[in-house]
Amino acid sequence: MASLWKHPESKFFFACFTDRTGRRLKRSTRETNRANAQKIADGYELAARQKQTVRQIRTVIGELHKTITGQDVATLTFREHCDNWLAEKKGTAPATLVFYRGSVKKFLTFLGERADSDISEIDAKTILAYRNELITLVSPKTVNHDMKTVKALFKAARRDHLLVDDPTEFIETVKGRTEANRRPFTMEEVKRVLAIANDEWRSMILFGLYTGLRISDVAMLRWCNVDLEKKEITIIVQKTGKSLILPIAAPLASHLESIPSSDDPRAPLHPKANGTWEREGRTGRLGNQFSELLIDAGLRKPSPNASPKKGQKARRETQELSFHCLRHTAISLMKEAGIPESVVMAIVGHSSKEVSARYTHVGSEAMQKAADALPDIMLSHKT
């Protein structure tokens, strides 16, 4: 016989029943009255023990619920839950929200019609199948990022008492190759890229080298972020939402003084890159453009998966060099110059909470000294 269970913080009773295969299941009755909830729980068990589809079972329970309470059963599909969850995330950083939306869309596409089933119908077996499909398409790091979103969706469902058990609880992350093979640029390699880059990309490369900023942050820089008199750049980092005040190294200051400024303080320093970022909210296209520069400079071989046919998906390969490696280059150059680690990490805006806590009181004078220790790559680049 079906039994009832009620979470101390939930107003609804959950039905605990056995299906025809002997599995013990739990489903919300969406009912606050115990007697009515018991009737619905018995209906769940009766329907589940018969050879019926999920849609048929839901129809039976819906009719039973309406007979008992006089109201249609309030159901929540997994797609609706995803919409609600994304609405909760609107206060997050734009890039993070774009990632969440893309990650949710991937999972919904995999589910197909099942996305419009009750959220309780998405089980661990289905989620594991999704993870295993991702493994064949993308890198382990991307698999784990997408699975983090899926886990967050079901964690929220359990928090809201839509589920008793979290089907993602025992689904493990994927272990595999890491990005340890990524390395800093040598100065000669940076010069080779600068030699073939157009004016805007040359500027972005210099910002990446002398500030350690990520490509999204370089793309969003505006003239109001730059104070040449104080030799400072003030920016809110996209990834962490953290506010940084960065010193302007002498070579970067010379570069900024050499390019046309704007009367509009909100004008972007790199208009084309900024336009791409504003339209797409992601760095994929900018990263691809930089990859093409590396290929043209002879620093990267074209990937065999670089241009998959329409409709095909290609597994991304971790490359040795990327725009993010300019960040590693900046760190390496400062460490080679004998700059204390605390100052180096303060400049690049280290995201670790523990590390950041130790670097809170690094002075601006020490940071400027560190920036000035960076070599002037333009001296040997200029003709």
Side-chain angles (χ1 to χ4, degrees), residues 78-305:
F78 182 71
R79 192 186 303 278
E80 290 169 339
H81 173 65
C82 289
D83 291 340
N84 293 341
W85 185 79
L86 286 171
E88 290 179 2
K89 300 297 179 181
K90 284 187 178 178
T92 59
T96 303
L97 186 57
V98 168
F99 167 75
Y100 283 151
R101 286 172 177 163
S103 193
V104 168
K105 184 179 179 180
K106 267 195 236 182
F107 189 39
L108 292 176
T109 300
F110 171 81
L111 291 175
E113 292 183 356
R114 289 174 293 178
D116 296 307
S117 300
D118 188 271
I119 186 172
S120 61
E121 301 298 336
I122 312 299
D123 58 12
K125 184 178 179 180
T126 300
I127 297 166
L128 185 61
Y130 173 64
R131 189 205 68 176
N132 291 344
E133 179 177 292
L134 285 178
I135 291 172
T136 68
L137 301 173
V138 295
S139 69
K141 181 178 178 180
T142 302
V143 173
N144 291 333
H145 277 182
D146 283 327
M147 289 306 299
K148 188 175 180 180
T149 300
V150 174
K151 285 175 176 286
L153 284 164
F154 284 95
K155 184 178 179 180
R158 190 173 182 183
R159 175 201 68 196
D160 296 339
H161 311 298
L162 299 171
L163 298 171
V164 176
D165 301 310
D166 181 354
T168 68
E169 186 175 0
F170 299 108
I171 294 181
E172 298 179 353
T173 55
V174 177
K175 295 180 181 180
R177 57 187 173 78
T178 66
E179 297 188 5
N181 60 326
R182 282 188 173 170
R183 62 171 177 81
F185 284 89
T186 66
M187 296 305 283
E188 287 304 315
E189 288 171 337
V190 177
K191 293 171 189 174
R192 285 169 64 178
V193 182
L194 287 172
I196 63 170
N198 62 28
D199 289 344
E200 180 162 300
W201 267 109
R202 189 177 301 117
S203 178
M204 291 180 66
I205 291 166
L206 292 174
F207 269 94
L209 178 65
Y210 287 115
T211 67
L213 287 172
R214 298 175 179 88
I215 194 169
S216 58
D217 295 317
V218 174
M220 66 172 277
L221 279 172
R222 300 178 185 278
W223 282 101
C224 57
N225 297 121
V226 178
D227 190 329
L228 279 172
E229 187 176 340
K230 291 184 178 180
K231 298 179 73 173
E232 290 178 347
I233 294 171
T234 304
I235 185 172
I236 297 177
V237 179
Q238 288 285 308
K239 183 177 180 180
T240 63
K242 181 179 177 182
S243 180
L244 291 181
I245 299 177
L246 305 175
I248 299 178
L252 186 59
S254 297
H255 165 68
L256 282 166
E257 290 168 354
S258 72
I259 60 177
S261 60
S262 172
D263 294 332
D264 179 5
R266 295 291 301 166
L269 269 71
H270 309 111
K272 291 182 180 178
N274 183 267
T276 299
W277 170 253
E278 292 287 346
R279 286 192 307 273
E280 301 183 7
R282 56 189 301 175
T283 59
R285 190 179 300 275
L286 294 175
N288 290 338
Q289 291 173 8
F290 187 73
S291 296
E292 290 171 5
L293 279 176
L294 294 179
I295 292 170
D296 292 342
L299 298 176
R300 180 190 284 192
K301 293 181 180 179
S303 170
N305 292 326

